[in-house]
Amino acid sequence: MKRSLFIGHESLVRRATLLRLTARTLAESMRGGGFKSLYKGQGITFDGVREYLPGDDVRSIDWNVTARMDKPFVKQFEEEKELPVFLVVDCSLSMDTGGGGCSRLQTACETGALLTLAAELNSSPVGAVFFDGSILYSVSPKRGFEQTMALLKRFDTIPARKERGSFLGKALTGTGKLLRQRSLVFILSDFRCTGWEQPFALLASKHDVVAICITDEQDKALPDCGTVSFYDVESEKGVLLPTSVDDFKTAWSTTYRKRIDAWKKLCRRRAGFPVVLSTSDSIDQTLAAFFSQRERV
């Protein structure tokens, strides 16, 4: 059973035309983001064989085909002109929270929708994996309108029942096995789990990985509401917090800054590209600024 993620708002599918206009600028920023320059190796893909012609490089001879056909054939290659895009989308319980009018999950899904449309505008294949405490859905990168609309529908709805925990580490491991060529991978998560660092490092060693940490304004500072009962949706444990006490408010903000700083350092050390995106931020402006910074590197 599924529920609409954008109740009270027009669905992503219905907003596709408007989102596509926003995604056009994002697509241009993505093309200039400097990721293709990170390709390793020849940057070309096998495109078949043809008969050997005088002057051809003998190193390109396909000896298996030559033996079968009893005359020389050479391999042909086509220059890679696309960068596949893959989205790793965290739908865990901790993502379904937020202090404002938009949850972390809604922000992640709208971000994913914009990136999907930008990939389509760039004629790039796009795929995704959605997970909570298990893998919910996975599809390999494909090009075309049908793939785009199928993913937009996925971003519109999520399962009403969720498995506790986060499968982030296993989702990253599965992504590495699924992708056949170097790709641009976006991880949309709050990263409130363990066991993802090593799979992240392995994935980033073969692909360009952008880690987008979805935060909320209340992560930085709580409103002054006196003593308030807080409930952890994952552990089902509650605690009373003194939101009006100055020392507590300072400790709350300091803990957030330290966590984000440590997360950024870990991502960079593992060859990833960290981006912090709040539920109150402009998604397209935040991503455009990131790609612009990448272009200048």
Side-chain angles (χ1 to χ4, degrees):
M1 185 176 180
K2 296 181 178 180
R3 65 180 174 88
S4 174
L5 191 60
F6 293 88
I7 296 175
H9 302 274
E10 195 172 12
S11 73
L12 293 176
V13 173
R14 291 181 181 276
R15 291 163 57 200
T17 301
L18 180 59
L19 287 171
R20 205 177 290 270
L21 294 176
T22 305
R24 192 172 299 280
T25 301
L26 185 59
E28 294 174 1
S29 301
M30 190 184 296
R31 284 197 296 271
F35 291 103
K36 284 194 175 186
S37 65
L38 299 178
Y39 268 37
K40 298 176 181 178
Q42 300 180 68
I44 53 178
T45 53
F46 179 67
D47 192 39
V49 297
R50 62 168 172 78
E51 286 191 45
Y52 175 87
L53 297 174
D56 284 337
D57 189 340
V58 294
R59 292 175 297 181
S60 65
I61 292 177
D62 188 320
W63 295 107
N64 290 328
V65 176
T66 296
R68 289 199 306 271
M69 303 302 293
D70 201 26
K71 56 184 176 180
F73 278 77
V74 295
K75 297 177 182 177
Q76 284 187 297
F77 294 90
E78 180 180 38
E79 184 178 351
E80 288 182 344
K81 297 180 180 178
E82 63 191 25
L83 184 63
V85 173
F86 195 81
L87 309 171
V88 181
V89 187
D90 187 348
C91 302
S92 59
L93 285 166
S94 64
M95 287 286 288
D96 211 6
T97 60
C102 187
S103 72
R104 300 170 213 269
L105 185 54
Q106 286 174 313
T107 299
C109 287
E110 184 147 356
T111 303
L114 282 171
L115 290 170
T116 297
L117 290 166
E120 183 196 27
L121 289 168
N122 283 336
S123 299
S124 294
V126 59
V129 58
F130 295 74
F131 67 93
D132 50 19
S134 62
I135 300 298
L136 301 172
Y137 174 77
S138 178
V139 62
S140 299
K142 296 177 185 175
R143 190 189 295 106
F145 179 76
E146 290 185 3
Q147 176 84 336
T148 297
M149 296 310 294
L151 286 174
L152 289 185
K153 288 179 181 178
R154 287 284 173 178
F155 283 121
D156 255 340
T157 57
I158 57 172
R161 292 184 60 188
K162 293 189 178 186
E163 291 192 29
R164 296 190 182 281
S166 174
F167 236 49
L168 178 55
K170 292 186 178 179
L172 296 179
T173 298
T175 297
K177 294 178 180 178
L178 183 68
L179 297 176
R180 299 294 184 184
Q181 68 183 84
R182 191 170 184 87
S183 304
L184 179 54
V185 180
F186 292 92
I187 306 171
L188 304 168
S189 174
D190 57 8
F191 291 87
R192 291 181 178 271
C193 61
T194 59
W196 60 270
E197 294 90 346
Q198 192 59 37
F200 180 93
L202 184 59
L203 187 66
S205 69
K206 300 178 180 178
H207 303 277
D208 301 324
V209 179
V210 181
I212 303 178
C213 184
I214 311 295
T215 66
D216 186 79
E217 289 306 303
Q218 291 189 3
D219 294 340
K220 306 174 188 177
L222 291 174
D224 194 338
C225 300
T227 300
V228 180
S229 177
F230 283 76
Y231 173 77
D232 188 319
V233 293
E234 292 285 4
S235 67
E236 298 186 307
K237 294 180 179 179
V239 64
L240 293 174
L241 299 179
T243 64
S244 299
V245 177
D246 288 340
D247 287 346
F248 172 78
K249 290 191 288 188
T250 299
W252 182 273
S253 298
T254 301
T255 299
Y256 167 78
R257 288 196 302 271
K258 287 182 177 179
R259 185 178 78 85
I260 291 298
D261 288 345
W263 173 80
K264 286 181 178 178
K265 288 179 182 177
L266 190 151
C267 289
R268 293 189 182 109
R269 192 166 63 245
R270 301 300 191 184
F273 306 97
V275 178
V276 178
L277 175 65
S278 173
T279 56
S280 61
D281 286 341
S282 168
I283 297 171
D284 57 316
Q285 289 181 13
T286 300
L287 292 179
F290 164 71
F291 287 122
S292 177
Q293 183 182 28
R294 281 292 315 146
E295 189 174 9
R296 293 194 298 269
V297 173

